[in-house]
Amino acid sequence: MKNLCRILCLLFVTSTVSFAQTKEELQEEKKEKQAQADKFQAEADALQKQIDALPGWRVGAFGVIGGSISEFNNWYAQGAPNNSSGNIGFTLNAYANKIEEGYFWRNALNLNLKWVKLDDKDDPTDNDSFEPPTDVFNITSLYGKNITPKIAASALMEYRTTILNNFNDPGYLDLGVGFTWTPIDNLIVVVHPLNYNFVFSDEDAVFESSLGAKILADYTRKIGAINFKSNLSMFQSYESSNYSNWTWINSFSYTLWKAIGVGFEFGLRNNRQEALSYILDLPVEDGGDPNATFDSVDNDLQTYWTLGLAYSF
C-alpha cells in the first residue's frame, strides 16, 4: 500500500511539472509567433501606405443608422397613456477622390435624415405620420491643379439644402476659385477669395446672394477600426456680415465586427438669414415676430447630434 501511494504521488508530481513545462513552452511559442505576426502586419501596413499613395481613385463611405418603435396602452403614468411612437434616422459620409501627380478632383457627400412619429390615440386631431426633424444635405466638388506638392490653384462647387422639407428653399450654391493647401495627408484647406454665394429662396427680402470669400477645411481619415471626418465650411460675405454663414460637421465611427460598429455625428451651424426667416414665419403666439430684422433677431447657434449603429464600406 505504501508503495502504491508513493507511485501515485510520483505520477502527480511528474504530471504537474510536465504541465508547467508545457504551458511555459506554449507561452514562449506564442510570444515568438506574435512577434512574427507584428512584423508581417507592419510590412502589410507599409505596403498599404504605398498603395494609397498611388495615383487613381479613392472611394469610401461610412455613417450611422438607428431607430426605435414603441406602443403604450393605458399607461396612465404619462400624459398620453395610449400612443404609438417611432423614429428612424441615418447619416452618410461618402467620398470619391481622384488623385493624380499633377492634379486632384475631390468629391464628398454628407447626408443626415431622420423621421419621428408620435401618435396619441386619444387625440383624433394629432398628426400620426412620420415627420422629418433632421434634414441635412451637403455635396462638394473640388478640382485643383498643383503648383507645388502642397499648394494648388483650385475651383470649388458646394451645394447645401434640405431634401425632405422645403427642398432648395433655402438652398446655397457656392462657386469660387482660389488656392488649396494640403499640409499633411488627409487634410485639405481651401481658401477662395473670389466666391459667389447663390441663395435660392421664396423669401427674397431675407435671403440674398452675395460675393465673398470661401474657406473650407476637411480632415478625413481611417485608422484601423476607426473612421472619422471633420468638415468646416465658411462663407464670409463682402457685402454684409448678415449674409455670412458657417457649418461644422464631425463624424466618428468604430467598427466592432466586419463593417458594423457604433457611430456618432454632431454638427454646428450659424446662419443669420435662417434665424430671421424662422422668426418671421413663426406664429406670434409661439414667439414669432413679423417685424423682426437682422439687428433684432437672436442668431442662436444651431446644433444637432446622432448616435447609433455605424456601418462602413
Side-chain angles (χ1 to χ4, degrees):
M1 180 60 68
K2 290 182 179 180
N3 291 335
L4 179 61
C5 291
R6 290 170 180 170
I7 292 172
L8 292 175
C9 290
L10 180 62
L11 289 174
F12 175 77
V13 172
T14 302
S15 63
T16 302
V17 172
S18 176
F19 174 77
Q21 291 176 341
T22 302
K23 182 178 180 180
E24 291 175 356
E25 291 172 356
L26 289 173
Q27 289 176 336
E28 185 62 29
E29 184 178 355
K30 178 186 176 183
K31 184 178 180 180
E32 294 174 359
K33 297 294 184 182
Q34 186 63 54
Q36 294 177 4
D38 293 341
K39 177 184 176 182
F40 292 141
Q41 184 62 53
E43 293 176 355
D45 292 341
L47 290 172
Q48 185 61 52
K49 188 174 182 179
Q50 295 180 35
I51 293 172
D52 292 340
L54 293 174
W57 283 98
R58 296 98 182 262
V59 298
F62 69 97
V64 179
I65 185 170
S68 67
I69 57 173
S70 63
E71 182 168 343
F72 291 87
N73 293 298
N74 302 323
W75 198 265
Y76 299 116
Q78 60 186 12
N82 300 290
N83 74 77
S84 62
S85 63
N87 72 82
I88 183 171
F90 71 92
T91 70
L92 171 65
N93 291 281
Y95 64 89
N97 300 330
K98 185 174 178 62
I99 310 298
E100 297 293 342
E101 185 175 348
Y103 72 93
F104 58 82
W105 183 24
R106 298 175 178 270
N107 304 276
L109 168 68
N110 173 257
L111 186 65
N112 187 332
L113 304 176
K114 184 177 182 179
W115 296 264
V116 174
K117 167 188 173 181
L118 175 59
D119 178 21
D120 184 351
K121 298 178 181 179
D122 298 325
D123 183 1
T125 64
D126 75 336
N127 189 348
D128 61 355
S129 60
F130 280 89
E131 296 292 332
T134 303
D135 190 358
V136 177
F137 178 85
N138 189 356
I139 186 169
T140 62
S141 185
L142 175 69
Y143 178 84
K145 188 73 174 177
N146 292 340
I147 300 174
T148 71
K150 295 187 179 296
I151 298 178
S154 56
L156 172 71
M157 184 282 295
E158 181 181 48
Y159 178 67
R160 307 184 308 278
T161 187
T162 57
I163 58 178
L164 300 179
N165 274 333
N166 305 321
F167 175 71
N168 204 40
D169 184 20
Y172 304 90
L173 175 64
D174 280 293
L175 296 175
V177 293
F179 299 94
T180 294
W181 177 41
T182 311
I184 60 174
D185 291 341
N186 308 304
L187 172 63
I188 61 169
V189 180
V190 179
V191 180
H192 285 179
L194 185 59
N195 183 95
Y196 200 82
N197 179 236
F198 295 90
V199 183
F200 309 99
S201 175
D202 294 336
E203 297 184 70
D204 295 334
V206 176
F207 292 95
E208 291 286 346
S209 303
S210 63
L211 182 69
K214 183 72 174 182
I215 299 175
L216 186 147
D218 184 277
Y219 188 72
T220 303
R221 191 174 182 185
K222 179 177 182 180
I223 304 177
I226 301 175
N227 284 287
F228 60 93
K229 177 183 180 69
S230 182
N231 181 277
L232 172 65
S233 177
M234 180 184 301
F235 172 73
Q236 180 62 49
S237 174
Y238 293 148
E239 297 183 25
S240 171
S241 61
N242 293 324
Y243 304 151
S244 302
N245 61 79
W246 59 265
T247 302
W248 185 27
I249 297 176
N250 299 272
S251 305
F252 308 87
S253 72
Y254 182 79
T255 302
L256 298 173
W257 178 74
K258 293 188 177 180
I260 306 299
V262 293
F264 177 70
E265 177 174 301
F266 73 91
L268 306 175
R269 183 177 177 84
N270 185 282
N271 191 310
R272 186 172 291 273
Q273 294 179 90
E274 292 177 349
L276 178 57
S277 175
Y278 175 76
I279 292 298
L280 290 174
D281 294 340
L282 196 66
V284 175
E285 59 270 20
D286 294 331
D289 181 2
N291 300 314
T293 65
F294 282 116
D295 295 329
S296 65
V297 69
D298 291 328
N299 185 24
D300 295 329
L301 182 66
Q302 304 175 41
T303 67
Y304 78 82
W305 62 268
T306 301
L307 175 67
L309 186 69
Y311 63 91
S312 63
F313 55 87

